Amino acid sequence: MSARLSEATLAQAKAEVVRPAYDRAATRIGWLHFGPGAFHRAHQAFYADRMLAADPGLAISAVSLRSDDLRQALGPQDGLYSLLEREAEPRLRVIGSIQETATAPRDPAAVFARLTDPGLRVISATVTEKGYCLTVADDLDEAHPDVLHDLAGPPCPRTLTGWLVEGLRRRMAAGLPAPAVLSCDNLAGNGGKLRRAVRQFAEARGEADLARWIAGEVRFPDSMVDSITPATDEALRADVARRLGLSDAWPVQREGFTQWVVEDRLGAEAPAFAEAGVILTGDVAAFERAKLRLLNGAHSTLAYVGLRLGHATVAQAMADRKLAAFVEALMRADIAASLGPAAGLEVDGYIGDILARFRNPAIAHRLSQIAWDGSQKLPIRLLRTIGEARAAGRPVARLAVGVAAWMLFVRDQAMAGVPIVDPLAETLADLGRACDGDPTGDTRRFLALTSVFPRDLAGDGEFGAALARAYGRLSGGAPREALA
């Protein structure tokens, strides 16, 4: 059995392994991250690893809000772990940016000590959308049991908001500078929403002075993150052990592409972030829109059409030359036209990156998984683009193909009695079973679903005709005709 990865054994790693390009002993913790799961370690900690060569004051304290698994895995490894970038030619690197790990319920005093460290400059979080405890109106959910628990002021909070407010209260009381607080979850306008929740929490505790200090002093930049990060499994551990020459209790993996876009409100930390490859912009929303429409809109189209043509994964679908050419034309000719300008976003290059990611043979991204929850995804990923195209007088024939393929996907699953993975599963199953094969009639049944299709788009004759035409071609004996 090989030795375990640690500071003492790192020199034994195979020569081709990329190592930290700095002296870890000379680094200092200036960054606390809540929720250090696989994505954080494959993404933000990777960027921090780049930063430390130029700014040794940005090492990470990784704080788990519940599970003790990370501390147990990385503690004996001195915080070191492996990141495998899965491409046609994989690359393995050892990440050294996490200097300490902690589990909040196990040692809350240590977490508060770190939150009140004068050297702390950045707080970040990846706790999933649910971890923000927000209402549908994006207010703090003061009825949430964990929020109620934290508002009572116990020694160990349960929520991210509870930890932030108490940590910021202690910093204000000690006269310490306010850190930048970065949400790194897939939540549009995440910085503003977290800022609002933190301020509301302080107000709910009756701490008006703290709420004003937070509003005036603490920066909550919006951010957007992107990189496909498959879960760690035993196959990855075995693969990493072979490539590394050492065992690693918790390696992570992702595609080679990674993107981090941050609102340009980082202050003194901005140069370090920019030098590490983080895109700083005044318009994060434009990048989010590009991701939703170009990446996710093309992904959904590829999933439904690819499944229709008998493909199983994204890479397999992109190996279909006619389908790949259709998706590229969809992105370059139809979706790109709906995007406004954004500083730092080069649309043609971004489309090229997306197409390369889709073709990556080392990532087995299943089309069936992308196809889940279509009633929730399509309005954001495709229908808004279609609505804007109709308003501007642009063609929608290609854009309609993905929507028609979704309708057929639902119809076929309903007819076969296969469970539909979607919040509207029961309604969609009824719609699918009611289809009789007539393209105009079937598509009109779906268009009547007001929770998915806006009324103006559902009543648009040109879109309806394009949809019925694509539906008929995809459901006929030569579905590839829809890709003409």
Side-chain angles (χ1 to χ4, degrees), residues 297-312:
H299 237 171
S300 287
T301 298
L302 196 63
Y304 297 120
V305 178
L307 288 168
R308 191 84 196 151
L309 298 179
H311 303 301

Side-chain angles (χ1 to χ4, degrees), residues 42-65:
H43 191 275
Q44 297 94 42
F46 161 77
Y47 282 96
D49 200 61
R50 286 180 166 182
M51 295 178 200
L52 286 170
D55 190 340
L58 282 172
I60 297 173
S61 173
V63 178
S64 302
L65 289 175

Side-chain angles (χ1 to χ4, degrees), residues 82-264:
S82 308
L83 167 62
L84 181 62
E85 296 178 1
R86 288 208 174 276
E87 295 289 331
E89 296 183 6
R91 178 166 56 178
L92 185 69
R93 63 175 71 241
V94 172
I95 301 295
S97 54
I98 294 180
Q99 195 177 96
E100 71 177 12
T101 57
T103 305
R106 186 176 179 273
D107 195 355
V111 178
F112 279 126
R114 186 59 65 194
L115 281 168
T116 52
D117 184 334
L120 185 69
R121 296 152 58 187
V122 176
I123 301 174
S124 59
T126 45
V127 294
T128 77
E129 292 88 335
K130 293 180 181 178
Y132 293 83
C133 302
L134 302 177
T135 67
V136 293
D138 292 327
D139 289 311
L140 179 70
D141 184 0
E142 296 182 28
H144 191 289
D146 289 345
V147 174
L148 286 170
H149 171 274
D150 291 355
L151 286 172
C156 181
R158 292 177 182 169
T159 67
L160 169 66
T161 308
W163 278 105
L164 288 174
V165 171
E166 181 57 22
L168 292 172
R169 185 192 68 78
R170 296 184 186 200
R171 290 189 74 86
M172 183 186 76
L176 295 171
V181 181
L182 270 166
S183 165
C184 304
D185 286 294
N186 283 318
L187 195 67
N190 50 19
K193 289 174 182 176
L194 181 56
R195 176 180 181 271
R196 178 184 176 94
V198 167
R199 192 190 73 245
Q200 290 176 337
F201 188 102
E203 291 169 346
R205 285 208 324 198
E207 298 186 76
D209 289 345
L210 175 60
R212 283 191 291 271
W213 185 80
I214 290 170
E217 300 294 328
V218 185
R219 291 156 289 150
F220 291 86
D222 286 339
S223 77
M224 188 201 83
V225 296
D226 186 18
S227 193
I228 297 172
T229 307
T232 298
D233 55 18
E234 290 308 314
L236 175 65
R237 289 187 173 91
D239 191 11
V240 164
R242 178 178 59 82
R243 296 175 186 275
L244 181 63
L246 300 165
S247 66
D248 183 346
W250 205 340
V252 293
Q253 60 184 331
R254 62 162 166 78
E255 62 177 331
F257 176 90
T258 182
Q259 186 183 56
W260 193 5
V261 182
V262 177
E263 186 181 5
D264 196 1

